[in-house]
Every structure is written in C-alpha cells, then in structure tokens.
Amino acid sequence: MTIDYRARILESAASMIGDYGKGSDQLYDIWRDVLPLAVATDKQVVQCAAKLEWCGSSALYALHRAGVGLDVHWRLGVGFIGPAKLRKLGKDEHPKPGDLAVKNHPFAHHMIVEYFNHDLDWGDLAGNTPHYQRHRHVGRDGIDFYDVSSLFPPDTIPAPPPES
C-alpha cells in the first residue's frame, strides 16, 4: 500500500489550527517532540516554549505527526532544513502540497505549502504567536521553497502471497 505523505502532512498541519500563545501546553508538546532527546530536558522545553518563535518547530512537528522525517530534530540556532539536507527548489520549479516555504526577510518564517497554483496564487498553513492558521499569498518574491520528499519513509508494500 502506498502512503500519501503529502496529504498526511496537510492533515497534520490543518489539525493544529488554533491559538498557541507562548508558554502554552501546545508549545510544550511541539518543542518536546522536535528537540533531540539529549537537549529536550524539561527546563529546555519550557525555555523554548516561553521564549522562541515557533513557526519552524511547528512545521517540523506537523511533519513528525505525519510520519515524515522522524529522525530529524530541531537544532537550536540552526533549525532543521539545513541539517535535514532538504533540496531548495529552483525559481522555475513549483512546490507541491506539504513542501516547506521560508520567507527569509526580515527573519526566517517557516510555512507548510497547502496549495500552489501556476498563477503564483498559493496558500500555507503556519503559525507563530498567537495563532496557527491558513494564509494566502500572491507571488513568491523573498520566498524559498524546499522539497520534503527526501524525508518520506519508504512505502510499505505487502509481499505477494506465496505461490502454491
């Protein structure tokens, strides 16, 4: 059976829509999931949930909840796109649903691509204090897109029944 990981990423991200104030229980869950176990002490999780912007960690959390990139963790001060070795799409390539978009100015804001039309009308699922929500965009100036398919686990295909 082939698994549609892109659909799972979108379902996971859409299920997060809501309010997430800094220090909220939801942010504790996100940081506890995305930080490597060696770093994810209760003190570190509390500090991240209370002080850090969380758009990138919520994107990684949505991937994890979809069963994608489970061995990828957040690196404080670095994020996860570089360490995960995600391929940056060229200007003539269109992102697919579930890929990542990063607006680099004035800071790196991470988003999960929900849809992308060829007329450069596209939408994302993303958040930061205080909300996780849908956004619509026109154009791609200042946005880099990253292909997440390299993080998909191999599909599980049942073995054929033995011949009798």
Side-chain angles (χ1 to χ4, degrees), residues 46-60:
V46 168
Q47 288 175 338
C48 289
K51 296 180 180 180
L52 297 183
E53 303 303 327
W54 51 273
C55 57
S57 59
S58 65
L60 181 56

Side-chain angles (χ1 to χ4, degrees), residues 53 55-56 74 101-111 128:
E53 303 303 327
C55 57
W74 190 265
V102 178
K103 181 178 180 180
N104 289 308
H105 300 290
F107 54 89
H109 179 64
H110 297 65
M111 304 162 271
N128 231 327

Side-chain angles (χ1 to χ4, degrees), residues 10-81:
L10 294 181
E11 289 169 15
S12 173
S15 74
M16 294 169 59
I17 290 174
D19 294 331
Y20 289 73
K22 284 191 179 176
S24 68
D25 289 343
Q26 297 98 326
L27 292 185
Y28 292 142
D29 292 342
I30 288 171
W31 285 108
R32 193 170 284 113
D33 176 79
V34 302
L35 289 171
L37 291 176
V39 175
T41 64
D42 287 340
K43 181 179 178 182
Q44 187 70 53
V45 168
V46 168
Q47 288 175 338
C48 289
K51 296 180 180 180
L52 297 183
E53 303 303 327
W54 51 273
C55 57
S57 59
S58 65
L60 181 56
Y61 182 69
L63 294 175
H64 283 183
R65 289 182 45 193
V68 174
L70 297 175
D71 59 341
V72 175
H73 297 286
W74 190 265
R75 289 179 51 192
L76 295 173
V78 175
F80 76 98
I81 291 175

Side-chain angles (χ1 to χ4, degrees), residues 82-97:
K85 298 182 173 89
L86 295 183
R87 184 178 71 83
K88 183 176 170 181
L89 299 178
K91 293 291 182 194
D92 58 343
E93 293 181 277
H94 299 298
K96 296 177 182 160

